[in-house]
Amino acid sequence: GTLWEDLGNGGTTGNDTVGTVETTAQVGTFSPFTIATTNGILNPLPVTLISFDAAKQGSQTYLNWVVAQEEGISMYIVERSSDGNHFISINTVNSINSAVQHTYSVFDNVPLNGTNYYRLEIVDNTGKITYSDIRVINYGNQNSFVIYPNPAKNYVNIQSSIAGVAYIYNIRGALVKTVTIQAGVNNIDISKLSSGIYVGQMNGQKKEFMKE
């Protein structure tokens, strides 16, 4: 804001590890300095992300991250993707804004079949965000049943080659619907479900779909 004066970029040297940054003009009055960009989204947030890890624990993914020197952080949003490009939020954890090192952790109770990509979105109190590196967990690539259309409105079709019981979970991993499935195409009423992301599971296989 107006409390900061942009002294310009007069040139840089070095690499990501060591180097110099010069101001455009000579500085005669000294006060706190910071290095930043003119794009607020790219500026570093007031937190040190020491680590972000994902690991299998049975049929779930355990995600944890270690931070230090939190200041003005609003929340951490855990995001998941099936392709590494399009991410959705699966969990949100409020920051405790600790000055000392602190560990946060959550579970993805219903990970997808195949490759799961996870990242951490860090949001400060002004709405600025930054992202962690992506972590990858693979749960195999079998597809014994199909759910369509995606997105769906009041009904969704579950197509299976065998009969059985299908379970529908919300993005938090809570069971919201249980249905008996016959071999072939089954038309399932989801009109009472809230809009959002869901995961259908049958015989250990999972499919993600959106309810509009």
Side-chain angles (χ1 to χ4, degrees), residues 124-142:
D124 77 0
N125 290 334
T126 69
K128 293 180 182 178
I129 62 173
T130 192
Y131 295 99
S132 70
D133 291 336
I134 293 174
R135 300 292 180 253
V136 182
I137 298 291
N138 196 294
Y139 284 90
N141 216 5
Q142 300 178 5

Side-chain angles (χ1 to χ4, degrees), residues 1 3 20 27 32 78 81 89 91 110 136-137 142-143 150 173 175 195:
L3 296 179
T20 65
V27 180
V78 180
S81 170
S89 169
N91 212 318
V110 196
V136 182
I137 298 291
Q142 300 178 5
N143 296 303
N150 188 12
L175 179 65
S195 298

Side-chain angles (χ1 to χ4, degrees), residues 13-136:
T13 66
N15 51 41
D16 291 343
T17 303
V18 63
T20 65
V21 178
E22 296 182 6
T23 57
T24 301
Q26 185 174 0
V27 180
T29 302
F30 294 89
S31 63
F33 278 84
T34 187
I35 299 173
T37 70
T38 56
N39 183 340
I41 294 178
L42 300 178
N43 286 325
L45 292 174
V47 63
T48 299
L49 180 62
I50 297 173
S51 65
F52 173 59
D53 297 299
K56 289 182 181 179
Q57 285 198 7
S59 61
Q60 301 174 317
T61 302
Y62 175 67
L63 302 120
N64 74 93
W65 59 100
V66 181
V67 299
Q69 300 173 333
E70 293 175 292
E71 181 182 349
I73 298 298
S74 173
M75 69 187 78
Y76 301 93
I77 301 174
V78 180
E79 297 184 331
R80 183 184 67 202
S81 170
S82 60
D83 59 9
N85 294 310
H86 303 91
F87 285 84
I88 62 168
S89 169
I90 62 170
N91 212 318
T92 299
V93 178
N94 292 329
S95 169
I96 66 170
N97 282 297
S98 173
V100 298
Q101 183 171 305
H102 183 73
T103 300
Y104 296 89
S105 63
V106 298
F107 279 93
D108 180 3
N109 295 317
V110 196
L112 304 174
N113 292 324
T115 304
N116 291 252
Y117 299 86
Y118 297 97
R119 73 180 182 187
L120 191 65
E121 178 181 317
I122 306 171
V123 185
D124 77 0
N125 290 334
T126 69
K128 293 180 182 178
I129 62 173
T130 192
Y131 295 99
S132 70
D133 291 336
I134 293 174
R135 300 292 180 253
V136 182

